[in-house]
Amino acid sequence: MKSDPIVIVGSGPAGLAAGLALIASGREVRIYERYANSDKVGGLINVWAPAVKALRSMGVDVDAMGLAPTHSSFHSASGHHRATVRFDSAINEEYGGYFFGLLRPDLYTSLRSALPAGTIQADTTVSSFIDRGDHVEVVFADGSTTSTPLLIGADGINSTIRPGLWGETPIREHNLQAILGNTYDIPEGVPLDQCIIRHSRTLQGSYAPFVHDGRPGIGWYFVEAWDPSTPPLSQAELWAHAKELAKDFPAEQQELVAHSEGTLVRWQIRDRGKPLKQWSKGRVTLAGDAAHATSPYAAYGAGMSIVDGYFIAQSLAEVDLTDSSAVAAALQHYDSLRVEHTTDQVQQAYMLGQLFHHSSAVVRPIRDFLLDRTPFLQKMVGEKSPGEIAKQISVMGDGIRGAA
Ligand SMILES: Cc1cc2nc3c(=O)[nH]c(=O)nc-3n(C[C@H](O)[C@H](O)[C@H](O)COP(=O)(O)OP(=O)(O)OC[C@H]3O[C@@H](n4cnc5c(N)ncnc54)[C@H](O)[C@@H]3O)c2cc1C
């Protein structure tokens, strides 16, 4: 058994990070990816400090990633300040910030380039598994199999591994879509160190900086209520639609959209509804969206996925993989470190999406009056949630081989 590599299904942020973390802890790993080319398109993504800590411990060259540190604040579309994200100042200092913008493809490239050549086997779909007690048999779509001491389902929201462990759980449609774009043609007055999150009565319109190849840019996004059965828009239609949405927001958001031709992407927002209370069973576990798919309201799905990998490797650091009960206990420990925190974040992100985009027309003015004049949002997104994220830094301990 010792010579069989740990198998990870999926080469998104969760799979790549789990692979890197396990390799950093001395394990052999094989990542199977169903697509021949899984280089991701996409615009701005933000990561919080715990993901940066995890990436550093995995040997990722974080300085070369083009992370743009930003301060985040929430406002009404008409300019009323509602919340400023507050973060532990010592962490801020240590990491050069707490919230960072980068382009999604740059995240994937940095993770992939830190992996030893040959770790990822592309164009290979995993279709099922059987936990045989002393090993897991992994079954591929072509009927072939491989044996592993540990299987990690990092295969995204439509995971194949998750139902094999815990049965089917329905997708929860948020009936929301996000539209993202980016530009290097930055309008005057747009700050390069601020993530500005604004809400009109029905829309979110936001932007934040990133750096790509040393060049500063701004990524922007809208979130709006949307019927998932609506046919997709072409790039030109999407751009025209985004320009319409931008009219709810100040001039700089409109200019950003106007400068972003050809860069637009659209995402359907969904999660898995009722959260799992446990992810791991025997020699099999989950990471990333397979365990805790979340709305971008958390700006934390990829970040949580990366930190999952860190904790999997840390929980297993001293474990003999031939010892089934030790493997199962280590994975239970991983669950105990992750399930509650990620569930809270997923539920809060869902709730914010409903509050901002699915309140009835009668409730919206009252909601906005309260958001403008009470500390509700400051407490929730300015203090509670970032406080919980900051706590993860100490839970993470001194590194993959240094549990807290
Ligand atoms: C609009 C939007 C904005 C977002 N913004 C942010 C943000 O700012 N910050 C943040 O942290 N997160 C953000 N997220 C969330 C983030 O993108 C996800 O949480 C993250 O990509 C999840 O990573 P993953 O590796 O778990 O899953 P995925 O990225 O979905 O990767 C899963 C991989 O598994 C492969 N796969 C699936 N099934 C199989 C199989 N059977 N066999 C082999 N391979 C398989 C897939 O092809 C895929 O490559 C955002 C999400 C959206 C929709």
Side-chain angles (χ1 to χ4, degrees):
M1 277 312 305
K2 256 190 167 162
S3 58
D4 286 334
I6 291 172
V7 166
I8 299 171
V9 189
S11 69
L16 295 170
L20 285 165
L22 286 161
I23 289 167
S25 71
R27 307 290 187 185
E28 232 190 290
V29 167
R30 178 62 57 86
I31 301 175
Y32 293 99
E33 167 57 49
R34 67 181 160 177
Y35 292 131
N37 179 358
S38 59
D39 287 348
K40 296 295 183 238
V41 292
L44 179 77
I45 192 162
N46 288 103
V47 292
W48 293 84
V52 176
K53 174 169 177 160
L55 291 168
R56 279 186 188 167
S57 359
M58 293 168 194
V60 174
D61 186 354
V62 171
D63 296 331
M65 281 173 85
L67 293 177
T70 80
H71 299 279
S72 305
S73 53
F74 287 71
H75 311 259
S76 70
S78 57
H80 202 111
H81 173 268
R82 289 174 169 172
T84 295
V85 174
R86 309 228 182 271
F87 213 81
D88 184 291
S89 55
I91 297 174
N92 248 331
E93 197 147 314
E94 187 179 346
Y95 291 87
Y98 60 87
F99 193 60
F100 304 85
L102 77 164
L103 288 181
R104 184 179 288 266
D106 289 344
L107 174 66
Y108 284 76
T109 305
S110 307
L111 291 169
R112 276 164 176 267
S113 57
L115 278 171
T119 306
I120 303 176
Q121 188 164 322
D123 206 7
T124 308
T125 300
V126 171
S127 58
S128 62
F129 68 89
I130 305 160
D131 189 341
R132 301 226 179 254
D134 62 347
H135 71 282
V136 182
E137 194 176 315
V138 181
V139 183
F140 299 101
D142 65 4
S144 62
T145 61
T146 193
S147 173
T148 180
L150 174 69
L151 174 65
I152 301 171
D155 47 347
I157 188 168
N158 294 309
S159 171
T160 299
I161 304 306
R162 176 179 167 132
L165 279 175
W166 301 111
E168 294 290 347
T169 42
I171 294 269
R172 172 168 63 175
E173 290 293 349
H174 293 204
N175 296 311
L176 296 174
Q177 71 170 346
I179 301 170
L180 295 86
N182 58 76
T183 179
Y184 298 94
D185 189 356
I186 303 171
E188 204 158 309
V190 169
L192 287 177
D193 63 350
Q194 300 288 325
C195 171
I196 305 288
I197 302 154
R198 295 188 178 112
H199 287 93
S200 71
R201 283 271 199 264
T202 55
L203 299 173
Q204 183 193 153
S206 304
Y207 60 82
F210 64 85
V211 180
H212 174 70
D213 281 345
R215 197 174 168 207
I218 295 286
W220 53 262
Y221 50 99
F222 295 111
V223 181
E224 65 171 335
W226 175 79
D227 175 355
S229 64
T230 314
L233 300 176
S234 69
Q235 179 70 207
E237 288 167 333
L238 200 55
W239 192 35
H241 180 62
K243 285 192 230 172
E244 277 306 305
L245 299 181
K247 288 179 182 166
D248 266 23
F249 297 93
E252 85 268 21
Q253 183 98 22
Q254 298 176 35
E255 283 180 62
L256 287 167
V257 176
H259 296 170
S260 302
E261 184 175 11
T263 67
L264 278 69
V265 288
R266 188 194 72 78
W267 295 80
Q268 183 174 344
I269 299 179
R270 38 209 327 237
D271 64 24
R272 297 291 332 192
K274 195 162 176 254
L276 293 176
K277 293 204 169 77
Q278 193 183 332
W279 301 341
S280 310
K281 197 189 277 179
R283 290 179 172 274
V284 187
T285 192
L286 302 172
D289 278 11
H292 49 67
T294 186
S295 146
Y297 258 100
Y300 196 27
M304 289 191 291
S305 305
I306 289 165
V307 178
D308 289 347
Y310 175 97
F311 278 117
I312 290 174
Q314 192 189 59
S315 301
L316 286 158
E318 305 300 329
V319 171
D320 171 1
L321 295 184
T322 63
D323 180 343
S324 298
S325 49
V327 171
L331 293 179
Q332 298 302 321
H333 179 64
Y334 158 63
D335 284 6
S336 73
L337 292 166
R338 295 306 286 154
V339 175
E340 188 181 337
H341 174 62
T342 57
T343 299
D344 287 352
Q345 293 290 325
V346 169
Q347 298 304 69
Q348 177 176 303
Y350 174 74
M351 193 279 282
L352 287 171
Q354 298 304 300
L355 175 74
F356 282 115
H357 306 288
H358 290 303
S359 295
S360 73
V362 178
V363 168
R364 283 177 213 148
I366 305 162
R367 174 202 64 191
D368 290 348
F369 179 86
L370 293 172
L371 291 176
D372 285 347
R373 287 172 180 77
T374 70
F376 171 79
L377 209 58
Q378 178 60 38
K379 290 218 161 108
M380 178 175 259
V381 300
E383 279 144 45
K384 178 177 170 291
S385 181
E388 285 163 7
I389 295 171
K391 267 192 220 144
Q392 292 297 302
I393 295 277
S394 51
V395 178
M396 289 169 79
D398 290 336
I400 289 167
R401 288 180 174 276

